Amino acid sequence: MSHQKEPAIIPIITIDGASGTGKGTVSQLLATRLCWNFLDSGALYRVLALAAQKHCVALDNEKALEVLAEHLDVQFIAQENKLPKVILEGEDVTDTIRTEPIGNSASIIAALPAVRAALLSRQRAFREAPGLVADGRDMGTVVFPDAELKIFLTASPEERALRRYHQLLEKGINVNLSDLIEELRERDKRDQERTVAPLKPAADAICINTNGLSVEDVVNRIVTEITRKKAFPVISTLTGMKLVEALEVTE
Ligand code: C5P
């Protein structure tokens, strides 16, 4: 009988959904509670959009964007209780990439197949021990189809626009709510109708409607799903006691 050890599987939880569903905050909080790594894939598309602007690359120049994506000099630096710091070509662009125009440009270039392909290996490289929480649109369908647990968050357009509005206001960014609803609709349409990796739940995803739920409520729902999953023993042997502590549902 061979005693050779199976290579350790690094567990992944994917959290997909449209913008304003609370996905970013939920994913970040869950990653913190599990002491796992965190991938904000939207930030990659946003950084690429900013790099395109910086290097005067048109948003429909697929070949040039593909090359830019392949050579993108970007670093994500983890920060406690905050989204990671984002450094593009040595410059801190953490706040710059969060503006609505950059979000829109990100959604335009995200529809280009060569761009998505160029960013695939970069996203998969985030799979490091003890585990990964991956936030995006196609994490469960394309980037990590073998994830242990796939979550798809939804919320009504009005609630999502309002959340986004408050988020931006908190950052001192003044926007018009009806413009925001319109932009959100346009972006949803583009994300859902594109031919590659359209925004949709994976066949094995668990859908959670976040209307009226707090971030803590949503994280607790996901924690309940983790404990229910058969893959749970794999996860617990890799992270040991920390996971047990992390999995206590908070009041
Ligand atoms: O999530 P966030 O709003 O930061 O993403 C910005 C844009 O990047 C989205 O509107 C979407 O078009 C694109 N995106 C994507 N696939 C992902 C993450 C983001 O197409 N996995």
Side-chain angles (χ1 to χ4, degrees):
M1 205 173 85
S2 160
H3 289 279
Q4 217 176 347
K5 262 192 169 176
E6 291 278 321
I9 300 162
I10 297 170
I12 302 197
I13 298 173
T14 57
I15 305 187
D16 288 306
S19 50
T21 50
K23 184 171 66 68
T25 327
V26 164
S27 308
Q28 186 202 327
L29 194 65
L30 184 68
T32 306
R33 272 173 69 183
L34 296 173
C35 298
W36 283 12
N37 299 295
F38 170 55
L39 164 62
D40 171 7
S41 60
L44 265 178
Y45 288 93
R46 285 173 180 266
V47 169
L48 184 60
L50 184 63
Q53 185 180 300
K54 198 172 160 185
H55 296 285
C56 302
V57 174
L59 299 182
D60 59 355
N61 188 342
E62 188 164 1
K63 186 68 212 163
L65 288 167
E66 180 187 16
V67 174
L68 200 59
E70 280 164 356
H71 297 95
L72 200 60
D73 171 14
V74 62
Q75 287 163 282
F76 291 91
I77 303 167
Q79 308 192 91
E80 214 163 299
N81 300 323
K82 268 194 196 171
L83 283 174
K85 192 179 264 192
V86 185
I87 311 289
L88 170 66
E89 296 163 7
E91 190 191 338
D92 186 342
V93 295
T94 316
D95 295 329
T96 323
I97 61 162
R98 297 291 157 197
T99 60
E100 290 308 291
I102 291 293
N104 264 319
S105 303
S107 129
I108 293 170
I109 61 171
L112 304 171
V115 166
R116 302 200 73 86
L119 291 180
L120 259 187
S121 59
R122 221 176 253 272
Q123 295 174 80
R124 290 185 177 144
F126 278 79
R127 187 177 202 161
E128 283 190 357
L132 176 68
V133 176
D135 155 7
R137 305 289 191 288
D138 60 341
M139 298 294 101
T141 49
V142 176
V143 184
F144 302 112
D146 61 335
E148 271 70 19
L149 179 64
K150 299 177 185 177
I151 304 290
F152 193 86
L153 300 183
T154 59
S156 69
E158 293 74 21
E159 175 133 355
R160 290 165 43 212
L162 209 58
R163 281 183 194 158
R164 197 73 171 180
Y165 178 73
H166 289 304
Q167 260 176 11
L168 291 170
L169 269 194
E170 258 174 44
K171 285 186 200 151
I173 303 169
N174 221 329
V175 284
N176 176 299
L177 185 59
S178 49
D179 286 351
L180 206 57
I181 295 177
E182 198 42 50
E183 277 172 15
L184 207 84
R185 284 217 174 95
E186 256 178 57
R187 221 198 285 180
D188 278 1
K189 192 163 154 23
R190 222 170 13 234
D191 286 352
Q192 285 158 359
E193 291 179 357
R194 68 182 173 219
T195 48
V196 276
L199 172 66
K200 62 165 190 204
D204 50 349
I206 294 163
C207 292
I208 302 175
N209 184 327
T210 67
N211 274 354
L213 296 183
S214 70
V215 170
E216 275 295 331
D217 291 338
V218 181
V219 172
N220 287 340
R221 274 284 312 274
I222 299 174
V223 164
T224 309
E225 296 300 339
I226 297 173
T227 51
R228 248 192 228 153
K229 274 295 228 190
K230 292 225 169 56
F232 176 61
V234 176
I235 301 176
S236 66
T237 49
L238 281 172
T239 52
M241 286 308 290
K242 270 196 179 135
L243 188 80
V244 177
E245 286 159 23
L247 288 181
E248 280 170 15
V249 172
T250 55
E251 294 301 319

